[in-house]
Amino acid sequence: MIIFADSIIAATLIHTFDPAQPTTQGMALRDGRILAVGPMAELEAYRGPDTAIETIKGTITPGLTDAHTHVVMGTIWTRGLNLTDLSLAQVRERLSTQAAQTIEGAWLMGWGLDPNVFPADFDGRIFDEATSARPAFLRMRDGHSAVANSAAIELAGLTGSERFRDESAVGVDAQGDVSGYLLEFSAMDLVLRHCPAESIPQLGQRLLKRLRDMANTGLTATHVLDFEPPAAEVLRWVEAHAELPLRLRFSPMVNPGTSVDDWERIAAAQGSGGRRWLVDGVKFMIDGTIDNGSAWLEHPDHFGQGRKSIWTDTDDYRAALKFFAERGICTATHAIGDRGVQFVLDSLEALGPLRERAQHRIEHIETIPDGTLERFATLGVAASMQPIHGTHHTKADRSDNWSQRLGDVRAARGWRCKDLRNSGAIVALGSDWPITPYDPREMMADAVLRRPVRRPEVDPVQPEQGLSVLEAFEGYTSHAARASNLQHDAGTLSPGRRADFTVFESDPLSLTGEELADVRIVATFLDGHPARSGAKANR
């Protein structure tokens, strides 16, 4: 018996990313899923008396998925001044202007601060004059560190003697005085708890605007690598007032020092959610970042740092990993340094057959040698990467902080996207927003060009690691789905998959990297219905 479609979509061109039928011109949809794909003549068999026929002028691809963001946490983080790519003088000017407009005692907040602006050690007190005694908390661009000025240090009661259950730290100078440098989340929280919090409606309104802006760039989904309070409360507020324009998959954090009871609570939350958001998987962090010296390296960096995991007890990480693997729960582990990546792969290999119960992935993978690279495909571990971090935060001449810390040999192993793809590994792509901008067209363009697409005068960083346009699109579609075991629902336009897709004005796979960044988004669809129509580029 023929099942009639609710609607049949005709398009100039459809890229399915399904090897069985890579391109076509039509899709039959029913109940929010794809019933059939093929030439329009073949889809006539699915046309019933109530079937709607829609013709779309443009090229359709599977809905674009950013494989790594922090949309709720990022909405909280991006409160205040955007300091991205500003010099020290520019940061001071922005702070001074804002301080003059802020009542006495109110906090100055900022984000995206470049670690390269500091003349020596990271020290928040260098902003005291610009902030005019207002307390200031400025998050650095890596998201794993921040600086506080003297007023904030005093309000938080920091002494430099604080101890944490992970490798967080409060920085001190050579004289033992608190510098205001806050390394990792536990240290930052000591200051943030004194900052006035935004209300749930305020956060909800800002989140909804952000998600709509993201949909305007062609995104239909993102994997959100956290689920900290008040995320659930904010999402429920949004869904009470509007429909989410993106599908959101949340993986709660499993932090160092948590107990089995904590793990049980996170496991019990799996599958919960709302109309377009879901808790699925968990997120670990085995190290920090290279820029702040907390990435776990095989050999110390230029400053003698980078020799520790942020899990003080790494056996506890292995126990937590096994706990979730036994329950078939997908895991993602943040691992940036070569030793960190190696340790996570060792831990996954030690799971043996348990590893096959779920898909496991490693986030970031900023520097790895050949022997480590080859293990991803062998073990079936997905690489979730953000090559834009390399194009925006490092330089071809190795004069940046990241490269200087690592030295030439390890810096030359940065963001090895092409090598991982050639090895047969799954390579999902994302932005890590708010660490870098989220427009997937620019993300993919940078992954192809290995330089900022908007800055043609900049030399590419390791151009041999540039992906093809097709590979970049797979990183946002089929590989993004496979990285989280979602390939039966997403990633390709195949029968049975969700009818989530992105419509481009022209064929994006025929464009150069430079042209890709400016291709116009016509619309995005979720469950076969427009999520955002007539969207303009968001810059």
Side-chain angles (χ1 to χ4, degrees):
M1 183 179 72
I2 292 291
I3 299 175
F4 293 131
D6 296 327
S7 64
I8 294 176
I9 305 282
T12 308
L13 177 63
I14 299 175
H15 288 291
T16 68
F17 289 88
D18 181 351
Q21 190 173 17
T23 61
T24 189
Q25 291 78 42
M27 293 187 295
L29 313 180
R30 183 178 177 86
D31 297 330
R33 291 192 176 261
I34 298 172
L35 187 60
V37 297
M40 290 298 290
E42 292 182 6
L43 298 182
E44 276 295 316
Y46 298 93
R47 182 173 181 174
D50 298 318
T51 301
I53 307 297
E54 182 173 358
T55 299
I56 292 177
K57 293 182 179 180
T59 298
I60 293 176
T61 72
L64 301 183
T65 296
D66 189 318
H68 188 129
T69 66
H70 302 278
V71 292
V72 181
M73 185 184 294
T75 298
I76 297 171
W77 286 2
T78 54
R79 176 185 178 189
L81 298 172
N82 182 352
L83 307 176
T84 302
D85 295 334
L86 299 186
S87 67
L88 178 58
Q90 290 171 323
V91 172
R92 282 174 165 156
E93 183 181 358
R94 291 271 183 98
L95 287 171
S96 180
T97 300
Q98 190 66 23
Q101 301 170 358
T102 304
I103 62 172
E104 187 174 348
W107 281 74
L108 298 177
M109 310 291 287
W111 57 282
L113 184 63
D114 186 343
N116 292 293
V117 305
F118 293 91
D121 296 332
F122 302 141
D123 191 329
R125 297 170 298 183
I126 68 173
F127 300 111
D128 283 353
E129 183 177 353
T131 52
S132 302
R134 273 94 171 145
F137 177 90
L138 310 178
R139 193 180 297 270
M140 297 226 264
R141 73 179 181 198
D142 64 6
H144 286 251
S145 55
V147 292
N149 69 351
S150 293
I153 292 169
E154 183 177 355
L155 277 173
L158 301 181
T159 66
S161 62
E162 292 82 2
R163 296 294 176 264
F164 304 93
R165 62 186 182 182
D166 54 18
E167 293 299 318
S168 297
V170 173
V172 296
D173 61 19
Q175 290 72 45
D177 297 324
V178 176
S179 66
Y181 175 49
L182 307 165
L183 176 63
E184 296 298 342
F185 297 98
S186 298
M188 289 188 282
D189 285 344
L190 292 181
V191 175
L192 286 172
R193 68 182 56 163
H194 296 274
C195 301
E198 291 181 281
S199 69
I200 296 302
Q202 286 174 319
L203 287 172
Q205 289 166 2
R206 290 211 294 123
L207 173 62
L208 183 58
K209 181 183 184 305
R210 180 65 61 190
L211 294 177
R212 285 172 172 165
D213 288 346
M214 294 175 87
N216 285 348
T217 68
L219 289 169
T220 62
T222 180
H223 301 166
V224 188
L225 276 297
D226 62 77
F227 191 63
E228 306 303 306
E233 195 175 355
V234 173
L235 289 163
R236 292 188 187 105
W237 184 92
V238 171
E239 284 200 321
H241 294 82
E243 199 69 81
L244 289 171
L246 263 68
R247 205 178 297 284
L248 307 177
R249 173 187 180 267
F250 290 91
S251 295
M253 293 277 291
V254 181
N255 293 311
T258 48
S259 66
V260 174
D261 287 343
D262 296 319
W263 305 345
E264 291 281 8
R265 175 181 52 79
I266 292 171
Q270 299 293 305
S272 62
R275 293 191 298 276
R276 286 181 175 170
W277 64 275
L278 178 73
V279 176
D280 179 37
V282 296
K283 161 80 177 301
F284 298 96
M285 288 174 48
I286 204 65
D287 65 358
T289 69
I290 288 166
D291 269 325
N292 70 19
S294 60
W296 193 8
L297 302 171
E298 192 69 31
H299 305 289
D301 67 15
H302 177 73
F303 299 103
Q305 297 176 321
R307 296 308 309 277
K308 295 179 181 179
S309 165
I310 63 173
W311 280 68
T312 304
D313 182 355
T314 53
D315 285 340
D316 195 37
Y317 166 80
R318 290 181 183 267
L321 189 69
K322 182 179 179 182
F323 175 94
F324 290 101
E326 286 174 336
R327 288 156 179 78
I329 295 172
C330 294
T331 73
T333 301
H334 164 125
I336 280 179
D338 47 13
R339 176 63 184 132
V341 177
Q342 181 187 70
F343 178 82
V344 175
L345 289 170
D346 289 345
S347 301
L348 289 167
E349 184 172 19
L351 292 175
L354 285 178
R355 191 175 66 253
E356 307 301 323
R357 296 188 182 182
Q359 178 63 55
H360 305 279
R361 50 191 265 190
I362 299 179
E363 309 300 311
H364 307 307
I365 316 163
E366 291 190 5
T367 178
I368 50 171
D370 291 347
T372 300
L373 182 147
E374 294 161 359
R375 300 177 67 193
F376 280 84
T378 301
L379 296 174
V381 177
S384 173
M385 304 184 73
Q386 301 80 42
I388 190 174
H389 290 189
T391 61
H392 279 228
H393 298 168
T394 71
K395 298 178 180 178
D397 66 5
R398 306 297 185 203
S399 63
D400 57 279
N401 178 63
W402 185 94
S403 301
Q404 289 291 307
R405 281 181 173 271
L406 287 181
D408 289 344
V409 173
R410 288 184 296 192
R413 300 169 177 165
W415 292 279
R416 299 179 65 179
C417 303
K418 189 68 168 184
D419 288 344
L420 281 161
R421 276 299 307 251
N422 289 345
S423 76
I426 298 168
V427 179
L429 299 179
S431 65
D432 199 15
W433 186 84
I435 307 305
T436 45
Y438 52 74
D439 190 323
R441 296 165 296 181
E442 294 194 10
M443 301 299 103
M444 290 187 284
D446 275 27
V448 172
L449 300 170
R450 296 291 291 202
R451 63 163 172 82
V453 65
R454 303 298 179 192
R455 299 188 62 192
E457 77 281 4
V458 172
D459 291 332
V461 179
Q462 297 162 262
E464 73 280 2
Q465 294 299 330
L467 297 175
S468 68
V469 172
L470 173 61
E471 289 169 334
F473 261 87
E474 288 174 337
Y476 267 87
T477 55
S478 56
H479 280 233
R482 291 169 61 197
S484 293
N485 200 33
L486 297 174
Q487 62 271 23
H488 301 297
D489 268 340
T492 62
L493 297 177
S494 313
R497 307 310 191 271
R498 289 186 184 275
D500 295 353
F501 49 92
T502 301
V503 185
F504 296 85
E505 186 173 48
S506 57
D507 178 7
L509 297 190
S510 68
L511 304 177
T512 65
E514 289 87 348
E515 294 168 335
L516 179 59
D518 291 312
V519 62
R520 194 175 79 87
I521 305 300
V522 175
T524 61
F525 283 70
L526 293 179
D527 297 320
H529 300 288
R532 297 294 287 167
S533 297
K536 296 181 180 179
N538 177 56
R539 296 282 174 251

